Amino acid sequence: MSSLFKNIRSKGNIGGSASTSSANKKEPAVQLTPLEKLLQDAPPLKDDSRNRIFGLENFGSTCYGSSILQCLFYSIPFREQVINFPARSSPEQVIRGENGQLRLVPTVPFPQTPEQLAKAKAQTTTTVTVPTTRPSIKPEDKESQEYKKKQILNKGPLWALRYDNASSYGMKESLYTCMKDLFEAICMNQERTGIIAPYKFYEILRSTIHETWGGSQHQDAHEFLNLLLNSVVDTVEATAKEIEAVQGKEGVATENGTISTAINAVEKQSISKAPPNSRWVHEIFEGTLTSETKCLTCENTSHRDEPFLDLSVDLDAHSSVTACLNRFSQQEMLRERDKFFCDNCGGLQEAEKRMKIKRLPKILALHLKRFRYTEDMQRMYKLFHRITYPEQLRLFNTTADAEDPDRLYDLYAVVVHIGAGPYHGHYVSVIKTPEHGWLLFDDELVEPVDKSFVMKFFGDKSNLACAYVLFYQETTAEAVKEQQLAEGRAAVTKMAKEALPVKDTLPFGLPLSLKTNGFMLHHITSPTPTSPTEDPTSVLPDLTHAITAPHSSSDVHPISPSAHVQTFTSPQSPPDQAQSNKERKLMEKDAAKVEKAAAKEAKAMKKDESVRQKLAMKTAAADARTTMENSKKVESPIGKRDSGTRNIFSTLNNQMVSSAKPLLDQPLLPNGKLSTPPGPNMATVGAPESSIPSSSMNGIPSSTQSALANYPASSSLAANPSASTPSSINPSLTQDYSGSGMSAFSRFRQGSRSLKHRPKFWPGSTSSTVNPPVPAKASNNEHAAEQPVNGSAAENRADDYAVDDSEDGSTGATQHKPAIQNIPRSAVEGPSDNSVHDEKLNKKRTSRFSLRRKGSNMLSFSTGSDR
Amino acid sequence: MISGSVLPPPKAYSSAPVTSTNTGNSQILTEAGNSLKHPTGPEFQFHANEGTYVLRDDFQLATPPPHPSEAPTASTNPLSTSIPPLVSGTRLSIIITSDKKAPPVLYNLNTSVPNFSTYSIKEQEESRPSQDTNANSSDVVSQPLSTGSDKKAPAFGSTNVYLNAGNGVKEGAKRKKPKTNMMKTSSSFVSRVVPHEALSRRLNERDPDSMLAFANINRSLQWLDLTSSSYFKSEHLTKILFTKAHMLCHDLNIVTKGSNHLDLVAGSSLADIVWYEPFSVRYNRINKNGMINPSPVIDVKWIPGSENLFLAAHLDGNLIVYDKERDDAVFVPENGLANGFGKIDGDGATMLRINKSINSTNQKTNPVASWKISDQKINSFSFSPDCQHLAVASQDGSLRIIDYLKEKLLDLFRSYYGGLTCVCWSPDGKYVLSGGQDDLITIWSLAERRIVARCPGHTAFVSAVAFDPWRCNQKNYRFGSVGEDGKLLLWDFNYNTLSKPKAVVERLRNSITSSVPLTRHRTDSLQTSRLRSNSSLTTNGTPNSDEVEHPMISRTQTAELPPVMTKTISDDPLCGLSFQEDCIVTSCSVGHVRIWNRPKEGTGEP
């Protein structure tokens, strides 16, 4: 059955694109996400756990978990150990449970066929003529993470991990086993990509650690890393001991048969009967710090070794990671109350202390301490210091006797925190995967990114996204050189493939973001047209390639001579140009024909597939029902998820004053022209819009939809604008932020022991920004109160990531559109009873819009330019 | 209209020390004039051995708002994967049209020995007065510096008949001006040209020793008179606003400078290069729309001694020589391979792929020469004073020394880690400095072909390094550096007093180390094909000294040099540093230019 799905998926997302493309008569072109485009060229899947890229679903605020889990998954030594300890499950064991039931089954059905969509459309009352333009979804909205995630979730497939496979490899259920199950689900998956929803993992997290974890409460990613690693260490050590014990006493009957299963499993894989390695976590992540304390009285230096799994460094404004590490190892004076008890002198003495690294770990996890505690306000705040991190790293603060002091590290993962403060925010991770280069993992959404993207998170006053945890893995100079050469080569070949005609200087010109994984070439600021039918990039590469075919085969000049012919008349004589124009037109036609053919084929395939799919669905009906029940149970988390994220990020918006972007008011049509003044268009667009999203939501389990309806209610529950300050501060936590050199260890220890303490992020406190009151526009909702005065920020867009917004300020009920966030107030989704309300809003928006237009960019720039 | 600034997150917690800086002003995107302040106080001074440097002028250049036709940067989404336009911080090209204040010429052009090996600074100092007049006169007569003597290497490209065929008169005759009048052009490349209202008066009344400068900020390029006595100091002489291009780099030609003529070449983020003559307000666009190479121009410099040739480093690893007066044409590499690196022969890192040689016979159009050094980004390059060598700093951490007359890669050095961001030569051409993302400045010896010292001191990436020729003498080199930490550091480098790490000292004791053998090696180097054996160089680990590539040397085996002065002079990352006769000029990434007066007690003449 999974192979069926594979077939469908390989044909591309047909159903998904139908919901987004314009309603043309002809079949819309297949629209692939950037990730899929990247994976198109990938070699076929093997069972060796490579080449699979999965997003992790966010259940509310589990982004701290998804980002760290992805980083750990792509820490190859760690992943290999997890999969292999205590024993490696076979794909069968993963896909089927012990009772033989198929359990690695996608719960989100595959993309809809056009027939299903058509049916849904026919059922709606309003006319479904979606105009060719959708001015209410601005092109830049389509670029928002929310929108993209929505597309991904719509598309599926999504695997819900609710099972526990621990017994199959002889362990009891624990955080480690859930993580192992998760890794295995990814590695053994028959699909190359998709979304995994690790329900079980968070369930166990909640139950074994503390109830505040794994729920809707925000947590700190580094703290999570710490507690996860410690939990893994504990579990591994315990399991290893058990195995060892059983191994030692072969004849002794064990109480639980599970360990014997483990032994059997181990033996099956013909691992030697040597005791299993229980220290692999330490071997990967652990380093040793030496604190050298020199008593100033007797000049005696005492050393003390302390292990660490990660390093937490304090930050200075405008510095680099190197400098922060050096500061970490700076000399500290122990005096007055901190006097050091010298064994030699036998008393408290003043001393100089410094901490140096004695042994470097294989993987160095650097935690940038961006969250600082302030006594005055009794809360924590975020430091936006600009901390630059190099791609490779060597450490200066090693002891004199350290082995390999020049060990070279290579950056491979960055956890980024986006948000104005520590209490709310979003985590994503940017990871260098061995097969696919740099990828951005944003919960469900995975996107290939450029290397320069990785360097965007140094942190800035104007950018809410800052690097928070850096992962460096050890490497050699040769390996780095190889990597660089390979990158360069890849960039050149990619450039050749994507060779586009040179841009002209006019704006809204051809879309020319040449994104290569090596370096950037052209840069544009104009948004790329996203309508598939109007997407020239699908046409142009064929063009240039075709035209240059006679000249060269593999080594294509990035600016092929004939490509220039199209844009420059001077070097070419007119007859040549006419010729090349003709050729180009022919090519265009050919390309269009090819596309049509492909689309027809796809349609035919779809029909076949839909039949097969129905069969498949029937056979999996039992499974589906059970999963539906389960999903209903977790309906509230899903609902909360939406509200939670809305909450967080709307408040984020409020904190940013928007920059003037008058042009945003003029939505960009896919064909690159400015849209006509809205006027009546807006109103007509508004209404039909309402039906489309609802139909597109059919793909989502009904639980989500009902959750959406519940949204306004739940959001008010979740929203708690009253700033609640923690009444008592846990002194141990305070210590963590004292900035002393010992902080790394105190954190380390705290992390391992004091999990019962109040977590870093206090429940119930959300952004406590003091927001000016807003002219109440039919809003009984907390969020309306959070509108900034000038009304130019649109908090209702609730982009997770919006830095600034120049949408019109808006109104109540339409704010909480969780699904397709970027249809602003005029469009309504879901419950249709809001449509009347929205008509009014449409008009209001229209008028506001036109007002906007008057005071538009022309004025602002002309005043400037007259000077 | 809304001011449209992207302010830092409003202080949710009233005492939250968000890293606010005083550049809030500069972030406001409404166009304003430059502002000039004269703050005083201890934080605006710094002390070195020779005295106290005091801040003279504190400019804030006006940041132009985005052009109306340009689509607003839609990235409300900080995770947007679209690539933003390339920007560079404010850099200055400074020139003094008269020759009075020229930097001391520490590179002896007129010696009979065709290299810099036996050259000692002391000798130079003694013969300086006569040298000066020679040098000055050569400037006035505008002879290319590099052809001072017969035995010197010929000027770049002068042997190529085809190249020079079309060239016009050199000396005495009127300087060639660019074709297009910027004020009257209808091209959309330039958005606006704003000359000062009293421009002609200012130019006429200008002190010939005045310090003229060009500064780029965002999409504007400003021409300024930074002389202390100028009344209009803060107001630009001319301001050019480009529509979309950001000028990332620029350079002024010292060969063709005159009291009424300057040649400025500027490389942009859109790959176009502009040759601009400010007095006549005329310009040429070269590599228009990226016809020859589509990637942005990261660094551009006039070739020493040349009137019309300049070298541009493109982001994709290409070094291309252009002639300011030639037209563009589609570039087809002449080595049979499409744009080089399709096939890598051997080790891709150590090649200098000549896509078009300077000696090529096909010289009708630009480019005049084209070399590809790697696939990685080039960050910066610098010409050596001997007008023969070129040092290129690259993002992959490599420093390449290229003999550009012979079009040959001589050395490839590696940074400690991270990319190399800036590079410069010592005034006598012996040493090369590189600054990088390892927060270090590294000193390399050209003759010894190895690292000499690492200089830790910055707490962030180093963005610019420069020698102070007025404070370099036989004993000591003075150089300065600025970094993204907002700090200016001054260093004194004396080879003999370097504190060598223990490991090296031991080894050196047992092998030849004195300066005599070094000299011999250097002369050897040019007479033979650089074959030499020097056991003290075995730290390299490469017994074959023909090896171009030099592996990284361990930290424990390299000397370290501390700075002599450290001062945080800016709240923003700094990106430009320039030493002038009476001052030091620093510039930061958001258009903040500071001019620091040298100490009054002498300008460091030995």
Side-chain angles (χ1 to χ4, degrees):
Chain A
M1 187 163 67
S2 45
S3 57
L4 288 182
F5 297 152
K6 208 198 301 194
N7 279 340
I8 295 178
R9 285 198 47 72
S10 62
K11 295 296 175 214
N13 175 21
I14 299 157
S17 64
S19 62
T20 53
S21 68
S22 36
N24 301 319
K25 292 291 177 189
K26 62 178 177 178
E27 197 65 42
V30 166
Q31 195 174 38
L32 302 173
T33 62
L35 179 66
E36 284 169 316
K37 281 186 199 141
L38 183 71
L39 293 179
Q40 267 178 331
D41 296 328
L45 279 183
K46 291 180 252 182
D47 258 346
D48 64 354
S49 80
R50 291 186 186 203
N51 248 322
R52 283 150 170 99
I53 301 170
F54 282 81
L56 295 174
E57 190 180 344
N58 185 334
F59 300 135
S61 22
T62 55
C63 49
Y64 62 86
S66 350
S67 49
I68 292 288
L69 285 170
Q70 295 282 16
C71 288
L72 289 175
F73 182 75
Y74 286 99
S75 307
I76 308 292
F78 184 77
R79 182 214 294 178
E80 290 300 311
Q81 288 286 352
V82 168
I83 292 179
N84 287 319
F85 183 91
R88 191 190 178 104
S89 310
S90 70
E92 264 307 299
Q93 279 176 314
V94 171
I95 297 172
R96 280 179 200 283
E98 281 171 341
N99 52 7
Q101 206 185 31
L102 195 68
R103 62 182 175 191
L104 201 56
V105 165
T107 50
V108 170
F110 280 95
Q112 301 174 285
T113 61
E115 290 84 19
Q116 288 172 324
L117 262 181
K119 255 197 227 167
K121 283 184 193 176
Q123 282 165 4
T124 58
T125 50
T126 50
T127 48
V128 187
T129 46
V130 180
T132 49
T133 72
R134 293 187 102 203
S136 44
I137 300 186
K138 303 196 169 127
E140 49 271 17
D141 295 355
K142 284 208 171 113
E143 293 301 311
S144 85
Q145 303 299 101
E146 280 299 315
Y147 183 78
K148 289 189 247 183
K149 281 186 191 174
K150 170 75 182 135
Q151 297 303 106
I152 294 270
L153 277 172
N154 261 347
K155 207 159 99 172
L158 184 142
W159 282 269
L161 252 55
R162 297 180 197 278
Y163 57 83
D164 153 40
N165 212 13
S167 47
S168 80
Y169 41 81
M171 290 178 70
K172 278 184 295 206
E173 197 180 50
S174 66
L175 205 57
Y176 173 75
T177 61
C178 292
M179 184 175 72
K180 181 171 158 66
D181 290 341
L182 172 64
F183 284 8
E184 286 178 340
I186 297 178
C187 293
M188 315 288 182
N189 205 309
Q190 302 289 78
E191 291 297 315
R192 192 189 299 276
T193 184
I195 309 172
I196 299 227
Y199 291 107
K200 201 70 171 165
F201 182 87
Y202 289 108
E203 215 180 283
I204 298 297
L205 183 67
R206 220 183 344 251
S207 58
T208 57
I209 307 296
H210 192 260
E211 69 207 6
T212 51
W213 290 86
S216 61
Q217 179 166 333
H218 277 274
Q219 298 292 350
D220 180 80
H222 173 253
E223 213 173 307
F224 173 72
L225 172 69
N226 232 341
L227 77 88
L228 179 61
L229 284 182
N230 283 310
S231 164
V232 168
V233 166
D234 291 340
T235 310
V236 165
E237 282 177 352
T239 309
K241 276 203 193 119
E242 286 181 17
I243 295 178
E244 230 178 291
V246 173
Q247 275 181 339
K249 314 165 195 172
E250 289 271 9
V252 174
T254 54
E255 287 174 17
N256 47 353
T258 54
I259 292 302
S260 57
T261 323
I263 300 297
N264 290 339
V266 166
E267 285 178 12
K268 267 184 210 162
Q269 299 188 13
S270 49
I271 296 173
S272 68
K273 295 225 179 164
N277 184 7
S278 64
R279 289 199 40 90
W280 51 266
V281 180
H282 300 285
E283 282 167 10
I284 297 174
F285 284 102
E286 190 186 73
T288 314
L289 272 174
T290 304
S291 66
E292 301 172 344
T293 317
K294 184 162 142 184
C295 172
L296 289 176
T297 317
C298 59
E299 303 280 316
N300 186 38
T301 314
S302 62
H303 299 258
R304 188 159 63 130
D305 286 354
E306 310 221 25
F308 64 89
L309 289 179
D310 60 51
L311 285 178
S312 291
V313 289
D314 283 306
L315 308 180
D316 254 337
H318 289 303
S319 57
S320 64
V321 159
T322 313
C324 291
L325 283 168
N326 287 340
R327 227 174 74 111
F328 182 83
S329 292
Q330 246 175 23
Q331 203 151 284
E332 195 191 335
M333 288 298 296
L334 297 175
R335 53 164 91 98
E336 291 164 28
R337 274 181 291 164
D338 299 328
K339 275 199 186 137
F340 165 71
F341 185 85
C342 175
D343 299 322
N344 218 21
C345 309
L348 286 173
Q349 311 291 346
E350 283 199 356
E352 277 176 5
K353 190 179 85 165
R354 82 191 317 154
M355 277 202 301
K356 291 205 164 170
I357 300 183
K358 186 168 174 182
R359 189 167 68 90
L360 294 164
K362 251 195 205 164
I363 292 183
L364 179 65
L366 281 176
H367 169 229
L368 305 178
K369 290 165 74 173
R370 287 199 180 270
F371 300 135
R372 196 174 278 181
Y373 178 75
T374 163
E375 288 284 353
D376 312 340
M377 299 295 289
Q378 299 224 315
R379 65 166 24 115
M380 300 217 294
Y381 60 94
K382 179 174 173 180
L383 290 171
F384 285 89
H385 290 150
R386 183 167 188 271
I387 307 292
T388 55
Y389 42 89
E391 270 176 69
Q392 282 84 38
L393 182 68
R394 286 190 161 105
L395 272 69
F396 289 94
N397 52 348
T398 51
T399 55
D401 61 348
E403 51 154 299
D404 195 9
D406 290 307
R407 179 178 290 193
L408 184 63
Y409 285 96
D410 187 41
L411 180 69
Y412 74 95
V414 181
V415 174
V416 179
H417 177 266
I418 305 158
Y423 299 106
H424 40 262
H426 187 58
Y427 289 102
V428 301
S429 43
V430 189
I431 305 179
K432 179 161 69 177
T433 56
E435 302 94 9
H436 301 290
W438 286 96
L439 298 174
L440 165 68
F441 290 86
D442 178 1
D443 292 328
E444 305 89 354
L445 176 65
V446 183
E447 278 186 281
V449 292
D450 195 76
K451 188 149 65 139
S452 59
F453 180 85
V454 184
M455 299 301 158
K456 269 182 20 175
F457 303 110
F458 293 156
D460 213 323
K461 341 173 244 310
S462 60
N463 187 0
L464 286 182
C466 315
Y468 185 53
V469 183
L470 303 168
F471 288 86
Y472 283 91
Q473 65 190 356
E474 70 166 348
T475 180
T476 58
E478 287 74 31
V480 168
K481 212 171 83 171
E482 277 304 315
Q483 194 183 245
Q484 285 168 345
L485 285 177
E487 273 171 20
R489 250 172 268 154
V492 168
T493 47
K494 206 167 180 186
M495 198 163 74
K497 262 193 220 164
E498 293 177 359
L500 299 175
V502 171
K503 69 199 173 308
D504 49 19
T505 53
L506 296 174
F508 311 132
L510 302 168
L512 292 169
S513 55
L514 279 183
K515 290 197 278 190
T516 65
N517 257 354
F519 48 82
M520 45 190 171
L521 297 172
H522 291 293
H523 325 280
I524 51 157
T525 51
S526 58
T528 54
T530 49
S531 159
T533 55
E534 307 247 13
D535 187 358
T537 53
S538 59
V539 176
L540 283 169
D542 297 333
L543 274 182
T544 53
H545 204 75
I547 289 178
T548 57
H551 294 284
S552 60
S553 49
S554 57
D555 299 310
V556 179
H557 195 291
I559 301 298
S560 54
S562 38
H564 281 281
V565 168
Q566 301 163 19
T567 49
F568 292 102
T569 52
S570 43
Q572 273 275 326
S573 55
D576 284 352
Q577 200 182 9
Q579 171 72 11
S580 51
N581 276 343
K582 270 190 209 161
E583 281 179 53
R584 188 172 21 124
K585 282 182 184 150
L586 280 174
M587 291 303 145
E588 277 180 290
K589 280 189 193 158
D590 284 351
K593 273 187 208 159
V594 166
E595 276 182 16
K596 274 187 190 160
K600 272 188 195 158
E601 207 187 294
K603 206 175 176 181
M605 286 298 297
K606 255 188 289 170
K607 279 193 181 146
D608 291 347
E609 292 303 337
S610 65
V611 171
R612 255 178 270 168
Q613 220 183 341
K614 282 180 187 158
L615 285 172
M617 293 310 247
K618 279 181 193 161
T619 54
D623 285 351
R625 250 178 255 131
T626 49
T627 49
M628 282 301 273
E629 281 167 17
N630 285 344
S631 69
K632 274 184 192 147
K633 277 184 207 162
V634 284
E635 178 188 84
S636 26
I638 290 179
K640 259 195 211 158
R641 168 215 352 169
D642 292 328
S643 66
T645 47
R646 285 322 133 261
N647 244 355
I648 296 144
F649 305 122
S650 56
T651 53
L652 274 185
N653 290 343
N654 299 336
Q655 294 180 17
M656 300 306 293
V657 175
S658 69
S659 69
K661 289 186 184 153
L663 273 183
L664 276 183
D665 293 318
Q666 304 173 31
L668 205 55
L669 299 186
N671 59 5
K673 297 185 194 146
L674 291 178
S675 67
T676 53
N681 272 350
M682 289 301 283
T684 52
V685 163
E689 291 287 285
S690 58
S691 51
I692 299 302
S694 52
S695 65
S696 72
M697 276 198 240
N698 282 345
I700 295 181
S702 57
S703 54
T704 320
Q705 274 191 320
S706 51
L708 294 175
N710 289 336
Y711 184 70
S714 55
S715 66
S716 51
L717 285 173
N720 188 1
S722 61
S724 58
T725 61
S727 46
S728 67
I729 309 303
N730 192 334
S732 60
L733 287 177
T734 327
Q735 244 178 37
D736 294 346
Y737 305 99
S738 60
S740 70
M742 286 298 290
S743 57
F745 301 132
S746 45
R747 282 297 304 286
F748 174 72
R749 292 204 195 101
Q750 295 296 340
S752 59
R753 280 192 232 133
S754 63
L755 297 170
K756 302 294 181 192
H757 290 155
R758 258 154 156 190
K760 247 200 224 184
F761 300 113
W762 311 108
S765 66
T766 57
S767 108
S768 52
T769 48
V770 175
N771 290 303
V774 144
K777 290 176 191 161
S779 162
N780 56 353
N781 205 301
E782 311 283 355
H783 284 283
E786 292 171 343
Q787 258 187 9
V789 191
N790 61 7
S792 61
E795 79 291 355
N796 71 323
R797 277 188 53 194
D799 276 354
D800 294 4
Y801 320 94
V803 169
D804 48 25
D805 251 79
S806 66
E807 305 289 339
D808 291 344
S810 79
T811 65
T814 56
Q815 288 175 9
H816 307 289
K817 293 305 159 237
I820 301 183
Q821 265 309 301
N822 307 307
I823 303 177
R825 318 88 217 149
S826 57
V828 178
E829 321 164 30
S832 54
D833 41 331
N834 279 336
S835 54
V836 171
H837 188 56
D838 290 326
E839 291 286 337
K840 284 191 211 156
L841 295 174
N842 287 347
K843 286 185 190 142
K844 272 198 189 158
R845 186 170 194 280
T846 309
S847 57
R848 232 179 299 133
F849 192 94
S850 51
L851 264 179
R852 246 308 157 84
R853 288 253 310 154
K854 279 187 199 157
S856 75
N857 53 310
M858 303 314 287
L859 249 184
S860 72
F861 289 107
S862 57
T863 46
S865 59
D866 282 343
R867 292 209 317 107
Chain B
M1 189 60 206
I2 300 168
S3 73
S5 65
V6 178
L7 296 178
K11 296 179 184 178
Y13 324 105
S14 54
S15 73
V18 175
T19 48
S20 62
T21 71
N22 62 357
T23 58
N25 291 335
S26 63
Q27 295 287 358
I28 294 178
L29 298 181
T30 48
E31 198 170 325
N34 303 337
S35 72
L36 176 60
K37 287 187 284 206
H38 303 276
T40 53
E43 64 266 31
F44 300 106
Q45 303 174 349
F46 53 90
H47 310 271
N49 293 339
E50 62 271 14
T52 305
Y53 291 78
V54 180
L55 179 65
R56 178 214 296 175
D57 294 313
D58 188 342
F59 287 93
Q60 175 60 56
L61 298 178
T63 307
H67 192 264
S69 70
E70 192 167 320
T73 44
S75 287
T76 54
N77 178 8
L79 296 179
S80 155
T81 53
S82 59
I83 300 173
L86 198 57
V87 290
S88 97
T90 299
R91 289 190 201 163
L92 271 76
S93 289
I94 300 179
I95 199 164
I96 298 174
T97 52
S98 78
D99 298 314
K100 249 210 240 167
K101 293 191 176 181
V105 179
L106 294 181
Y107 184 78
N108 192 345
L109 297 167
N110 293 326
T111 56
S112 55
V113 180
N115 59 40
F116 41 83
S117 58
T118 50
Y119 171 70
S120 77
I121 306 181
K122 189 175 180 189
E123 287 170 12
Q124 173 60 0
E125 292 293 316
E126 284 166 357
S127 56
R128 177 138 12 136
S130 55
Q131 287 291 336
D132 264 356
T133 48
N134 278 351
N136 286 343
S137 59
S138 74
D139 273 354
V140 166
V141 184
S142 304
Q143 270 169 12
L145 288 171
S146 60
T147 55
S149 94
D150 300 338
K151 294 179 191 153
K152 278 303 312 168
F156 185 65
S158 61
T159 52
N160 189 345
V161 177
Y162 295 91
L163 184 59
N164 298 321
N167 269 359
V169 218
K170 281 193 188 169
E171 313 173 20
K174 252 187 166 180
R175 294 259 161 247
K176 280 214 165 171
K177 308 260 180 188
K179 280 183 273 180
T180 321
N181 187 325
M182 208 181 248
M183 309 274 269
K184 302 175 187 159
T185 182
S186 56
S187 156
S188 60
F189 186 71
V190 175
S191 166
R192 268 191 302 129
V193 179
V194 184
H196 194 262
E197 316 152 327
L199 178 64
S200 41
R201 175 157 75 101
R202 283 182 73 181
L203 290 178
N204 288 336
E205 295 175 349
R206 170 177 88 82
D207 181 350
D209 289 340
S210 59
M211 191 162 76
L212 297 176
F214 283 85
N216 63 293
I217 174 161
N218 202 288
R219 65 184 177 98
S220 85
L221 185 64
Q222 292 198 25
W223 184 24
L224 300 158
D225 181 335
L226 297 177
T227 317
S228 44
S229 54
S230 164
Y231 175 70
F232 291 106
K233 194 161 35 163
S234 72
E235 297 169 25
H236 52 80
L237 289 168
T238 307
K239 175 153 78 169
I240 307 169
L241 283 165
F242 296 93
T243 313
K244 279 180 86 169
H246 288 230
M247 291 300 133
L248 304 178
C249 52
H250 39 81
D251 190 32
L252 285 160
N253 195 334
I254 51 174
V255 174
T256 60
K257 69 172 181 180
S259 52
N260 272 310
H261 181 95
L262 284 176
D263 284 316
L264 174 83
V265 65
S268 78
S269 58
L270 297 182
D272 291 56
I273 301 171
V274 173
W275 164 35
Y276 177 59
E277 203 289 298
F279 288 89
S280 59
V281 199
R282 301 183 83 90
Y283 79 110
N284 261 6
R285 262 169 85 185
I286 300 163
N287 191 27
K288 194 167 165 179
N289 290 323
M291 178 188 285
I292 294 168
N293 183 304
S295 56
V297 178
I298 287 293
D299 207 353
V300 72
K301 288 201 167 70
W302 292 99
I303 294 194
S306 175
E307 290 184 7
N308 50 339
L309 298 180
F310 62 87
L311 182 66
H314 288 264
L315 197 62
D316 61 355
N318 273 309
L319 288 171
I320 302 185
V321 180
Y322 295 90
D323 183 327
K324 70 182 201 272
E325 292 162 24
R326 284 185 210 273
D327 294 324
D328 293 336
V330 171
F331 176 54
V332 176
E334 295 178 359
N335 56 6
L337 292 167
N339 201 31
F341 288 30
K343 303 176 184 64
I344 309 262
D345 45 41
D347 191 341
T350 55
M351 53 197 309
L352 174 70
R353 177 151 306 195
I354 302 172
N355 287 332
K356 179 171 180 182
S357 165
I358 184 65
N359 300 317
S360 152
T361 52
N362 173 13
Q363 291 291 359
K364 285 194 198 141
T365 54
N366 272 326
V368 162
S370 171
W371 310 312
K372 186 152 194 186
I373 59 164
S374 82
D375 284 321
Q376 300 285 326
K377 282 169 64 175
I378 298 179
N379 281 329
S380 173
F381 67 87
S382 177
F383 287 102
S384 73
D386 71 352
C387 307
Q388 201 172 344
H389 296 91
L390 173 64
V392 185
S394 175
Q395 182 59 27
D396 60 1
S398 62
L399 172 68
R400 288 174 168 80
I401 309 285
I402 297 171
D403 180 333
Y404 64 92
L405 297 180
K406 297 193 192 126
E407 295 178 315
K408 189 158 168 277
L409 176 67
L410 297 176
D411 291 292
L412 186 132
F413 299 107
R414 296 265 168 208
S415 69
Y416 193 45
Y417 61 86
L420 286 175
T421 53
C422 49
V423 66
C424 77
W425 292 79
S426 65
D428 60 358
K430 282 201 216 171
Y431 298 102
V432 180
L433 292 183
S434 66
Q437 293 180 337
D438 46 9
D439 298 4
L440 296 176
I441 294 156
T442 316
I443 308 180
W444 312 88
S445 160
L446 190 66
E448 297 174 40
R449 300 177 76 196
R450 68 177 185 94
I451 187 174
V452 170
R454 292 198 173 105
C455 315
H458 274 289
T459 56
F461 297 169
V462 181
S463 35
V465 280
F467 275 90
D468 184 349
W470 285 271
R471 297 204 64 82
C472 288
N473 55 32
Q474 78 227 52
K475 296 201 186 87
N476 185 42
Y477 296 86
R478 156 66 61 86
F479 64 89
S481 63
V482 290
E484 295 189 12
D485 47 6
K487 290 184 183 161
L488 167 69
L489 270 60
L490 294 176
W491 315 74
D492 279 329
F493 166 56
N494 184 338
Y495 184 85
N496 295 320
T497 60
L498 267 186
S499 59
K500 296 184 176 44
K502 280 187 196 160
V504 176
V505 168
E506 280 302 316
R507 201 171 288 116
L508 287 182
R509 257 196 229 129
N510 304 332
S511 59
I512 17 176
T513 56
S514 65
S515 56
V516 172
L518 282 176
T519 310
R520 185 175 70 223
H521 287 123
R522 274 181 246 143
T523 48
D524 281 348
S525 75
L526 273 158
Q527 286 166 12
T528 67
S529 56
R530 288 202 179 247
L531 278 173
R532 73 170 90 90
S533 62
N534 182 346
S535 55
S536 70
L537 293 182
T538 53
T539 50
N540 272 355
T542 46
N544 179 9
S545 47
D546 261 347
E547 189 84 15
V548 165
E549 188 167 355
H550 305 269
M552 190 277 305
I553 311 277
S554 162
R555 186 162 39 98
T556 51
Q557 296 186 335
T558 313
E560 283 197 0
L561 177 72
V564 297
M565 195 289 299
T566 307
K567 175 88 182 180
T568 305
I569 59 167
S570 166
D571 291 328
D572 299 289
L574 290 166
C575 55
L577 172 67
S578 170
F579 287 94
Q580 300 296 320
E581 199 227 357
D582 58 345
C583 59
I584 301 178
V585 184
T586 61
S587 58
C588 87
S589 56
V590 289
H592 212 160
V593 176
R594 284 189 158 159
I595 303 180
W596 308 80
N597 274 329
R598 286 188 186 267
K600 291 292 189 281
E601 25 308 277
T603 52
E605 297 288 343

